[in-house]
Amino acid sequence: MDRIYNFAAGPACMPEEALVRAQKEMLNYNGTGMSVMEMSHRSPSFEEIIDGLECLVRELMGVPNNYKVMFLQGGASSQFSMIPLNLMNKNKKVDLVMTGLWTQRAYEEVSRYGSAKIVASSEDKNFTYIPELDPDMFTKDADYVHICYNNTVYGTRYTRLPDTGDAPLVADVSSCIMSEPIDVRRFGLLFAGAQKNIGPSGLTVVIVREDLLGNHMDITPLMMQYTTHTSTKSLYNTPSTFSVYMCKLVLEWLKGVGGVSEIVKINEQKAKLLYDALDGSKLFIPSVAKKDRSLMNVTFRTGNEDLDTKFCTEAAARGLDGIAGYRATKGMRASIYNAMPLSGVEALVSFMKEFEQNNT
Ligand SMILES: *Cc1c(COP(=O)(O)O)cnc(C)c1O
């Protein structure tokens, strides 16, 4: 069977090399006579896998030594409560920049524990841009400021980070982790569900500056305390072992490509191809303001919902799958993560031109 081009937002396409390697090692991992799935998380073989994954994350992202890396479960969504439980510990004040669904979810959770303030929002234009952020918009004594670096649903992305003064910046990088270089030192905490850009579902990567640890709220369940996981190298309980292994294979592939500084060039090339096609089209309308366009999730529509549906159906029949937009925003969304080859975007652009000719 031929593989298709999968433009789904997540779980999403993964590098074929990583899948083939997993297939090869499925029944007998590295001479152990068993699959990674069957292996004790306390075995030397698995410890080597999870240690290797941490090394790769540190190397590929340039994570400084004063940051801890955790491999957790519960998805990026669990972080919406785990972060305030651990970091909202001084003045019980948190600032958020509202850029759509994922910051809405974070806001709801933060609100349970103290004062959550939306300092800026792009809701007035249906979250199609990133608000301008001035340093004096932020609360002076906020415990942290929460942003969503790349909004998967709307297709927006920060190209400039806000100056939040003394308040640590916390960023949801679920859909852009390792897609472009980021300076980890600018952040107090970064978190990402793996299933967009670096692996399968079931694994969440959290990177946190050490000095922010150890002051969780008294009510925090043990499993929700970061120190439970930082003091046990993410092996307090059974981690999602197979996801840890798959993520390592994906990052080995990324390293082979040349790392983040190389993949960003390919990502920029793919995004340009698609946005240029949208800007030059008389049928398709790109959804997001030019300056804030995501490299990973490209959102667009025709202005006619029936035609949008027709486009998605015909595209899928051509092996261009998963292009229907988020269920509430509708329209189209092509997710072009690290693992989407340039040839996939070329095939999509060529089908868009053909569809435009046949439907205008
Ligand atoms: C997908 C996504 C989430 C939710 O991730 P889960 O792992 O499903 O909890 C949160 N934030 C962003 C930016 C996402 O893309």
Side-chain angles (χ1 to χ4, degrees):
M1 198 200 90
D2 278 344
R3 280 173 59 79
I4 57 158
Y5 290 118
N6 176 12
F7 293 91
C13 61
M14 285 173 52
E16 217 168 280
E17 268 179 52
L19 297 172
V20 169
R21 171 100 179 264
Q23 182 184 43
K24 240 173 75 186
E25 297 177 339
M26 183 62 74
L27 297 183
N28 184 355
Y29 171 78
N30 199 22
T32 57
M34 62 175 114
S35 165
V36 172
M37 258 184 272
E38 305 170 288
M39 194 175 278
S40 164
H41 61 295
R42 309 263 175 229
S43 65
S45 286
F46 184 75
E47 282 196 35
E48 197 179 298
I49 292 171
I50 198 165
D51 288 349
L53 176 59
E54 177 170 345
C55 285
L56 281 163
V57 170
R58 287 187 177 277
E59 182 183 343
L60 289 164
M61 294 182 71
V63 180
N65 286 335
N66 62 324
Y67 283 74
K68 295 283 189 197
V69 178
M70 287 171 264
F71 302 112
L72 308 178
Q73 300 187 61
S77 300
S78 289
Q79 294 309 310
F80 297 151
S81 44
M82 212 160 161
I83 296 166
L85 282 166
N86 285 274
L87 266 50
M88 199 177 187
N89 51 24
K90 290 198 190 86
N91 303 310
K92 301 246 183 259
K93 292 181 195 169
V94 167
D95 286 349
L96 297 101
V97 180
M98 184 60 67
T99 53
L101 180 74
W102 300 120
T103 48
Q104 181 63 40
R105 294 253 173 106
Y107 173 75
E108 283 163 25
E109 291 300 317
V110 170
S111 304
R112 296 175 198 279
Y113 306 110
S115 153
K117 184 179 170 199
I118 296 169
V119 293
S121 167
S122 53
E123 193 173 7
D124 60 333
K125 290 185 183 158
N126 198 26
F127 303 117
T128 53
Y129 71 103
I130 300 286
E132 284 300 318
L133 297 169
D134 196 79
D136 40 64
M137 292 163 91
F138 296 101
T139 308
K140 286 279 164 293
D141 55 350
D143 289 330
Y144 64 90
V145 177
H146 180 113
I147 64 166
C148 179
Y149 203 116
N150 181 86
N151 197 305
T152 326
V153 170
Y154 299 92
T156 55
R157 153 186 177 245
Y158 283 78
T159 50
R160 206 155 34 102
L161 290 174
D163 175 2
T164 57
D166 290 335
L169 187 57
V170 166
D172 181 349
V173 290
S174 292
S175 47
C176 61
I177 185 169
M178 300 192 206
S179 66
E180 59 178 307
I182 57 169
D183 183 359
V184 175
R185 284 167 304 186
R186 291 286 313 268
F187 300 89
L189 185 147
L190 291 161
F191 69 102
Q195 74 272 20
K196 278 41 185 268
N197 210 25
I198 55 170
S201 59
L203 175 68
T204 309
V205 179
V206 179
I207 302 169
V208 61
R209 216 174 61 211
E210 265 168 5
D211 63 285
L212 299 174
L213 292 169
N215 294 304
H216 53 79
M217 294 178 197
D218 288 341
I219 58 161
T220 312
L222 200 57
M223 273 298 286
M224 302 291 272
Q225 298 173 16
Y226 285 136
T227 46
T228 298
H229 304 285
T230 56
S231 63
T232 55
K233 291 173 85 177
S234 304
L235 290 168
Y236 172 73
N237 71 326
T238 320
S240 184
T241 50
F242 200 73
S243 299
V244 166
Y245 161 71
M246 283 308 306
C247 184
K248 178 165 176 275
L249 295 186
V250 171
L251 298 193
E252 279 169 2
W253 164 83
L254 179 56
K255 189 178 166 179
V257 171
V260 177
S261 60
E262 282 305 311
I263 204 82
V264 67
K265 293 180 199 163
I266 305 168
N267 288 337
E268 280 169 349
Q269 195 186 355
K270 290 185 303 190
K272 184 176 187 315
L273 191 64
L274 199 38
Y275 285 120
D276 281 353
L278 290 170
D279 289 333
S281 164
K282 290 194 175 63
L283 177 66
F284 297 107
I285 310 156
S287 304
V288 170
K290 231 173 195 164
K291 66 178 179 59
D292 301 322
R293 287 174 176 175
S294 168
L295 291 177
M296 296 283 100
N297 312 98
V298 179
T299 49
F300 57 102
R301 64 194 188 281
T302 64
N304 172 340
E305 277 186 26
D306 293 335
L307 205 53
D308 287 352
T309 306
K310 186 172 181 231
F311 177 80
C312 294
T313 310
E314 289 183 14
R318 299 283 191 94
L320 306 166
D321 204 50
I323 296 180
Y326 182 77
R327 54 192 187 276
T329 58
K330 305 211 175 92
M332 275 78 77
R333 169 179 56 180
S335 296
I336 51 174
Y337 298 117
N338 285 357
M340 173 59 66
L342 180 63
S343 60
V345 179
E346 285 168 348
L348 174 59
V349 166
S350 136
F351 173 65
M352 285 164 66
K353 291 196 170 135
E354 189 187 315
F355 186 86
E356 179 164 344
Q357 259 172 11
N358 294 339
N359 291 278
T360 44

